[in-house]
Amino acid sequence: MTSKPSPVSEVEVLSPEQCWGLLRGVSVGRLAVWVTDHPDIFPVNYKVDHGTLVFRTGEGTKLHAALGETPVALEADGVDQDSGIAWSVAVKGEAAGVKLTQEVLDTVGLLLFPWQAGRKDVFVRIVPASITGRRFTVTTPLTWWSPLDDAPRAGLE
């Protein structure tokens, strides 16, 4: 018998330990980086590894931006469909390529499998400067209904 978490009426700020636990439970997040003159976001498969996050990638914009001078952020989230409780965790910090032979061997052991095919032989580790998270109850769509929701729309809208 499992107990469902009680509904969260307000936003619950999560402890770092709770954040790490939630991050271990999912494998996909969104990596935010600075590319030349604008922010960009990429989905990545990641693993938690000793208080850091590791993802694999190949040559390209994402890799070069992540390894640049600007810090990165990774956000992951989830929702329990039964209870209607959602969560979101953000990790902000520096990204660095995994280069030492033993460290590369250790990261291969994480069984990190990207969803997209292709050559992804570079491992990148995000060392957090901060980790924040929150948990909240998903609001029913009717909460946000207004008379404008029933207004006529243009043909392609």
Side-chain angles (χ1 to χ4, degrees), residues 38-118:
H38 63 277
D40 212 339
I41 300 173
F42 298 91
V44 295
N45 298 87
Y46 71 88
K47 289 281 188 169
V48 172
D49 184 39
H50 303 294
T52 66
L53 299 175
V54 177
F55 67 93
R56 293 173 72 156
T57 191
E59 283 296 321
T61 303
K62 176 181 16 174
L63 175 63
H64 294 285
L67 299 181
E69 302 276 325
T70 307
V72 302
L74 185 135
E75 187 271 343
D77 51 38
V79 65
D80 181 322
Q81 296 296 330
D82 293 333
S83 69
I85 306 261
W87 60 270
S88 178
V89 172
V91 175
K92 298 172 189 167
E94 299 292 327
V98 176
K99 295 183 180 173
L100 298 175
T101 303
Q102 186 57 50
E103 197 176 359
V104 170
L105 292 173
D106 290 344
T107 56
V108 169
L110 292 174
L111 302 177
L112 186 54
F113 301 111
W115 284 354
Q116 185 181 21

